[in-house]
Amino acid sequence: MTNPDHPITPTWPGLVRILFLALFLIPAAAGPALCQWCSCDLEGWSGPLIFDRDYNPKPAYTALSRELGGVGDTNRGLRSLAPARLGIGTAMRYQAAIEGGRYMATLLPQFNQVTPESALKFGEVHPHGLAWDPAGQTGYDFSRADQLIGLAAANSLQVRGHTLVWHGFLPDWVMGASRDQITPIFTNHILRVVGRFRDRKGGDGQKTVVAWDVVNEAVNNDGELRLHDEFWGKFGGAEGEPAKLEFIREMFETAHRADPEARLFLNDFDCFTNQAKLDKVLALAAWLRDNGAPIHGVGFQTHLTATDLGIGAKVGEVARTLEAMGLEMQITEMDVRFQDCQGSEETQAQVYGEVLRACLMAGNCTSFTMWGFTDNITWFEGCD
Ligand code: G3I
């Protein structure tokens, strides 16, 4: 169906088939609703990352290599090309990392920083705690986190800890807790999790866990603090904003108490494409900074599409705004999908290159992390 030399550009027979599928088969076969985040449902389309499903570098990889001064091939990995100040990172999927093989053989030469994709989340490390556990000692399971942090340390990879406070991936006992129990539960959780890895060092003697996404996705897409979902709703509706701000400030203070050397970030998504959301995230960062929270920067997840050409200008503008605020910028979860099958591997490569270029030009951009690196392991997998 597609041109084998360029899996994105369909040939005429392919176009006819796509049209037939689009008109007759997909609507019928798609069931009640297509996966909302599908990169593209059609067979043969590329995924959102920089290596294909067979670990071959894509045009996006070539673009990143060239932005870093390389010649576009994998002989010199991205990590060896990157300036010392810049973490070049990827989300690290537990099962694939433990199995090693081509996954780790591809990862190690390219990245100097990893983010455990799920192993450090509340639902993974603290799934079974008591609804009310003053000592904060029960119900922890660090087995996967210990394995991934150990793997990173053994390979002298830095780690971005992700994430301490998030409304996603929470066990039922947290969802069932009262507002008054939420602060001690998360205080205990942060002290235990951050404290556990605080002194871990790599073979190079360097600190392994260098940063934490303390609070993830605190702002919703209409530019307001999240106050109406099951977790954040515990702080009440709009009248709960002061209590929510105070809670977030306290969580940053707790993370700093648990590891005074770690860099602490607010992390969110869609900020480069949603001005209202960006404004609120920056206002929250400023409020935290002005109210004594030990916040070091803002992480931008950067889940983009292959038609987001020109996004680099926005990334540069935001970096300058944060620099004026005395804060770091980090690109924390970048991937570039073919939303509704729009775009090409060439436009995907341009989007990756633009964002990295903007990060390189901004002295306060300290991490360029992608949410995976090979198309066969991505959070979009549910759509294949
Ligand atoms: O670990 C269990 C495994 O034991 C079980 O067999 C398997 C089947 O049910 O599930 C595994 O847990 C899955 C986990 O990933 C680990 O692979 C969860 O079901 C699954 O929901 C979870 O999805 C992750 C999601 O966050 C929720 O935590 C995605 O892989 C991950 O890419 C995604 O990442 C988020 C960032 O944290 C925040 N920004 C958005 C981004 C994409 O949603």
Side-chain angles (χ1 to χ4, degrees):
M1 180 205 51
T2 58
N3 175 347
D5 296 328
H6 189 282
I8 288 301
T9 307
T11 56
W12 272 113
L15 280 173
V16 169
R17 180 156 182 259
I18 286 177
L19 191 61
F20 177 76
L21 284 170
L23 289 175
F24 298 99
L25 290 190
I26 285 181
L34 278 175
C35 159
Q36 178 195 1
W37 298 108
C38 276
S39 182
C40 174
D41 276 355
L42 296 184
E43 179 192 345
W45 279 73
S46 178
L49 298 169
I50 64 174
F51 285 87
D52 70 18
R53 294 173 177 82
D54 298 317
Y55 293 95
N56 301 306
K58 295 162 58 176
Y61 176 89
T62 302
L64 297 182
S65 171
R66 288 190 171 134
E67 285 300 335
L68 289 166
V71 296
D73 62 23
T74 56
N75 293 334
R76 277 197 69 190
L78 302 177
R79 63 181 294 176
S80 69
L81 295 166
R85 68 167 165 87
L86 186 65
I88 290 282
T90 178
M92 186 156 73
R93 177 74 59 92
Y94 170 77
Q95 200 53 46
I98 295 308
E99 289 166 5
R102 293 191 69 189
Y103 183 85
M104 290 305 290
T106 305
L107 184 152
L108 290 175
Q110 302 301 333
F111 303 104
N112 55 27
Q113 197 171 82
V114 291
T115 304
E117 190 170 7
S118 290
L120 286 171
K121 289 172 181 171
F122 198 110
E124 286 265 355
V125 296
H126 201 176
H128 312 301
L130 301 175
W132 172 242
D133 173 11
Q137 298 307 314
T138 58
Y140 286 88
D141 175 4
F142 286 107
S143 54
R144 291 187 172 191
D146 287 347
Q147 284 180 285
L148 286 192
I149 302 293
L151 184 61
N155 289 284
S156 299
L157 295 170
Q158 292 181 334
V159 172
R160 293 193 80 261
H162 173 82
T163 178
L164 297 171
V165 180
W166 182 33
H167 62 278
F169 216 49
L170 288 174
D172 292 343
W173 68 272
V174 173
M175 285 308 194
S178 69
R179 160 71 189 91
D180 292 344
Q181 292 173 332
I182 288 298
T183 298
I185 285 172
F186 278 86
T187 299
N188 290 334
H189 176 77
I190 291 173
L191 291 173
R192 185 74 185 275
V193 176
V194 176
R196 185 180 184 86
F197 301 110
R198 160 185 170 164
D199 298 322
R200 192 61 184 262
K201 287 186 168 44
D204 58 1
Q206 298 301 308
K207 182 177 175 55
T208 297
V209 183
V210 294
W212 282 95
D213 289 332
V214 178
V215 175
N216 187 47
E217 302 176 9
V219 174
N220 60 30
N221 279 347
D222 62 17
E224 296 302 323
L225 288 184
R226 281 182 194 269
L227 285 172
H228 304 293
D229 61 37
E230 193 180 358
F231 173 71
W232 290 112
K234 294 179 187 294
F235 293 87
E239 74 285 352
E241 178 148 335
K244 180 176 173 180
L245 287 170
E246 184 50 32
F247 170 73
I248 293 172
R249 191 190 61 74
E250 203 170 327
M251 294 302 106
F252 271 86
E253 280 190 339
T254 303
H256 185 64
R257 182 156 42 109
D259 183 351
E261 290 176 43
R263 310 296 286 171
L264 304 179
F265 290 83
L266 192 62
N267 192 50
D268 222 316
F269 65 91
D270 282 2
C271 293
F272 298 133
T273 52
N274 179 334
Q275 190 62 44
K277 183 162 192 176
L278 173 64
D279 292 345
K280 189 66 174 180
V281 167
L282 293 176
L284 175 55
W287 185 92
L288 289 167
R289 176 201 60 188
D290 298 345
N291 285 274
I295 180 171
H296 299 104
V298 179
F300 297 95
Q301 294 181 16
T302 319
H303 298 291
L304 296 176
T305 74
T307 54
D308 282 323
L309 297 176
I311 198 79
K314 190 64 175 179
V315 175
E317 174 198 315
V318 173
R320 289 187 293 276
T321 300
L322 280 169
E323 188 159 40
M325 294 168 66
L327 295 175
E328 292 175 41
M329 168 193 270
Q330 294 199 343
I331 303 298
T332 56
E333 306 181 16
M334 186 168 182
D335 45 35
V336 182
R337 64 188 182 276
F338 298 99
Q339 186 71 41
D340 304 323
C341 307
Q342 299 302 306
S344 68
E345 284 194 346
E346 279 60 36
T347 61
Q348 180 186 53
Q350 288 178 46
V351 172
Y352 271 109
E354 281 189 39
V355 174
L356 177 55
R357 189 180 316 138
C359 183
L360 287 168
M361 289 173 66
N364 63 324
C365 184
T366 52
S367 182
F368 179 83
T369 289
M370 290 159 275
W371 209 237
F373 59 93
T374 170
D375 284 344
N376 66 348
I377 297 180
T378 163
W379 65 292
F380 289 109
E381 64 226 20
C383 303
D384 284 350

